[in-house]
Amino acid sequence: MARVDTSTSRPYHLVIFGATGFTGQFVVEEVARTVSEGPGGNLKWAVAGRSKPKLEKVLEKAAGALSKPELRTEVDILVADVAEADSLAAMCRQAVIVLNCVGPYRFYGEPVVKACVENGAHHIDISGEPQFLESMQLNYSSQAAERGVYIIGSCGFDSIPADMGVLFTRDQFKGTLASVESFLTVSSGPDGGCIHDGTWLSAIYGFADSQKLRSLRRKFNHRPLPPVGPKLKPRGALFYSNEIQQYAIPFMGSDPSVVKRTQRFLVEEHEATPVQYGAYAGVGGLGNTIKLLFAGMMFMLLVKFSFGRNLLIKYPEFFSFGAFTKAGPTRKQMEGSSFQMAFHGVGYKEEQDTFQGKPTTKIRTLVQGPEVGYVATPIAMVQSALTILNEPAALPKKGGVYTPGAAFSKTTLINRLNQHGIQFSWKLSDLLPFESFTTILLTNKTPAEEFSTEDGHFQLLCVNKFGMTLC
């Protein structure tokens, strides 16, 4: 049995390891914003890393950004290094949960996971690296189960919106959901936007080691999950998406891997019906598409060779056409950026007892939020941690290595995210009898109180040429 001990036996509810990194700075600020949401309204936390002076600067910067001068003196500092096992063990013994922000995880992640398992600390990371995530499941799930420890990966933008978005879509669907495709679009303001090159590094090494990932997956010896309804066919490497009205490509992050692992867990542990999944990202119009094709060809050519990888690492801004930089985005750029992930699902109505032929009902859900890397990711990571602290009874009964969907499917994480700026919403329509209908989604941001039901939830309205009717 897993146990989340929030008593005084461990001095800190959360320890942010890697707080001096680019993402770590923003995780520190997000934790500082949410201290009142901890157990008993008081979150006890500390920062950790290799350099005490640099950690002091992180707290100084956070104190200025949030106008909270007390952060300079009231937050404890722990010195720990991935190369020093004893320091990691000492850190983990003091934490209920370690928020691990040290990447690339393929190089620096495993020592932290190992120390957490051995010293009884739960572990959350924001990795988007399938090889790391799946190798941790293969190598540490049994040990984590024996120790009652939760190791939960990809709790940032990779892959909370996708994984929880599929579960949200399934839960809103009135019947049996067969498949879902997601389409990501990212918007930036007048100052533009970019991503810190730490993500670029992870991508370089991930593509270079793709053969190792295939070899790793064979070790699980998984049988294919039985599809419900027609098998979901993957789209092309580049195609025009009518769903988002722009060109799109397959999503290159961890989302497909994470969602598939969640679906397998739900089938094996809860006898759920699996949902097929495909993930795509919009790339814009023709001009952006041409740039992407050129950058993609250069990337795939260079990543095969050590000298090419060195060039990619040294000049991320040049080879990514400015999408990745060593400096990362400015705060002003972050403020002007946002994302939307649209989920298009199809399935069968409740009264159908067979899943033969084409699905008869479709659903569209949205997950929308702020800038993906350094605003949405800290929100998702911190709310995942607070969910563990505040809702231990809703987590899986035993410890192990879990995806977000496997760990949080029975919790209120989605509600927590809604309250912190990552919004989940939906609309449903029939495919066959009501193909001419357009659906209007009423959310809590819409001035439509006259349409609200007694329980406070808004009712969907279907509109056709004859007028309005309830769906």
Side-chain angles (χ1 to χ4, degrees):
M1 290 287 289
R3 183 167 179 241
V4 180
D5 183 7
T6 57
S7 67
T8 57
S9 62
R10 293 180 183 243
Y12 309 113
H13 295 125
L14 303 178
V15 171
I16 305 167
F17 182 55
T20 57
F22 191 85
T23 307
Q25 175 72 54
F26 297 101
V27 173
V28 168
E29 294 175 17
E30 186 61 26
V31 169
R33 291 187 189 98
T34 57
V35 289
S36 63
E37 299 177 35
N42 182 30
L43 187 67
K44 302 171 186 176
W45 62 291
V47 295
R50 291 181 297 175
S51 169
K52 185 176 180 181
K54 289 183 179 180
L55 290 166
E56 290 172 343
K57 288 181 181 178
V58 167
L59 294 174
E60 179 76 26
K61 193 172 181 179
L66 302 177
S67 299
K68 291 189 172 189
E70 65 273 15
L71 295 177
R72 300 182 180 97
T73 57
E74 294 182 1
V75 179
D76 289 344
I77 291 175
L78 308 178
V79 176
D81 190 332
V82 291
E84 299 175 4
D86 290 345
S87 70
L88 291 180
M91 174 187 72
C92 292
R93 283 194 292 268
Q94 298 180 73
V96 178
I97 305 172
V98 172
L99 302 186
N100 184 8
C101 302
V102 180
Y105 289 91
R106 68 176 57 246
F107 299 132
Y108 308 116
E110 184 170 359
V112 187
V113 171
K114 184 174 185 290
C116 284
V117 170
E118 291 177 350
N119 294 280
H122 307 294
H123 175 279
I124 286 177
D125 66 53
I126 46 176
S127 173
E129 304 166 45
Q131 185 176 337
F132 166 77
L133 295 165
E134 294 178 40
S135 65
M136 292 304 97
Q137 181 181 354
L138 183 67
N139 297 330
Y140 289 95
S141 197
S142 296
Q143 296 177 48
E146 291 172 3
R147 301 289 182 109
V149 169
Y150 296 116
I151 306 296
I152 308 174
S154 54
C155 287
F157 180 74
D158 293 271
S159 294
I160 289 280
D163 206 16
M164 301 307 293
V166 171
L167 296 186
F168 176 78
T169 305
R170 180 204 65 182
D171 292 345
Q172 308 311 312
F173 193 81
K174 308 304 180 186
T176 300
L177 185 63
S179 62
V180 175
E181 293 177 303
S182 67
F183 298 86
L184 169 67
T185 52
V186 177
S187 301
S188 58
D191 295 293
C194 64
I195 303 172
H196 189 265
D197 75 333
T199 304
W200 178 253
L201 285 175
S202 297
I204 290 170
Y205 291 115
F207 277 95
D209 282 350
S210 58
Q211 182 58 45
K212 292 181 181 178
L213 178 58
R214 287 190 285 270
S215 176
L216 170 68
R217 286 173 172 166
R218 286 194 289 269
K219 294 179 182 179
F220 284 97
N221 199 29
H222 285 319
R223 292 182 179 180
L225 293 175
V228 172
K231 186 175 182 180
L232 182 64
K233 296 180 180 179
R235 311 249 187 151
L238 175 67
F239 63 96
Y240 187 82
S241 167
N242 291 319
E243 291 85 356
I244 54 177
Q245 296 294 299
Q246 59 181 275
Y247 288 96
I249 60 173
F251 183 74
M252 298 298 183
S254 61
D255 289 357
S257 163
V258 170
V259 170
K260 190 171 184 177
R261 288 168 58 212
T262 293
Q263 294 303 312
R264 181 172 296 280
F265 170 84
L266 296 175
V267 169
E268 294 176 351
E269 298 296 324
H270 300 294
E271 298 182 351
T273 302
V275 178
Q276 302 175 75
Y277 178 63
Y280 304 96
V283 296
L286 188 59
N288 282 342
T289 302
I290 292 171
K291 284 200 300 184
L292 176 72
L293 286 173
F294 181 75
M297 287 188 293
M298 288 292 294
F299 182 92
M300 296 307 294
L301 174 65
L302 292 173
V303 80
K304 295 177 181 179
F305 310 101
S306 60
F307 80 90
R309 292 193 291 273
N310 289 335
L311 286 174
L312 292 171
I313 291 167
K314 191 173 183 179
Y315 304 108
E317 192 166 355
F318 175 78
F319 287 107
S320 69
F321 286 95
F324 296 89
T325 69
K326 290 185 178 294
T330 65
R331 289 181 184 260
K332 194 170 183 181
Q333 286 176 322
M334 293 180 206
E335 290 171 2
S337 299
S338 61
F339 79 89
Q340 176 175 288
M341 190 175 285
F343 297 81
H344 291 256
V346 296
Y348 302 88
K349 293 183 177 181
E350 287 177 306
E351 62 269 20
Q352 291 184 251
D353 56 5
T354 180
F355 306 132
Q356 301 298 320
K358 292 183 178 180
T360 56
T361 308
K362 62 183 176 181
I363 186 172
R364 179 174 181 258
T365 63
L366 291 175
V367 180
Q368 304 173 83
E371 188 276 336
V372 299
Y374 316 105
V375 183
T377 286
I379 290 171
M381 186 183 211
V382 174
Q383 289 305 313
S384 296
L386 290 169
T387 301
I388 293 174
L389 292 171
N390 291 306
E391 303 178 45
L395 300 173
K397 298 302 181 186
K398 64 180 182 179
V401 178
Y402 292 103
T403 61
F408 300 124
S409 63
K410 297 183 182 299
T411 71
T412 65
L413 176 59
I414 288 176
N415 292 339
R416 292 175 181 273
L417 294 172
N418 276 328
Q419 293 166 10
H420 288 81
I422 300 178
Q423 301 287 327
F424 292 68
S425 57
W426 68 285
K427 64 183 178 183
L428 176 71
S429 62
D430 292 329
L431 285 178
L432 297 181
F434 305 110
E435 282 185 320
S436 62
F437 279 39
T438 301
T439 60
I440 296 177
L441 173 63
L442 303 177
T443 72
N444 57 1
K445 292 184 178 179
T446 305
E449 284 78 6
E450 65 269 27
F451 299 119
S452 63
T453 58
E454 290 182 1
D455 62 2
H457 292 89
F458 290 112
Q459 173 68 53
L460 291 172
L461 300 178
C462 289
V463 181
N464 64 8
K465 62 184 179 180
F466 303 110
M468 237 180 243
T469 180
L470 295 179
C471 293

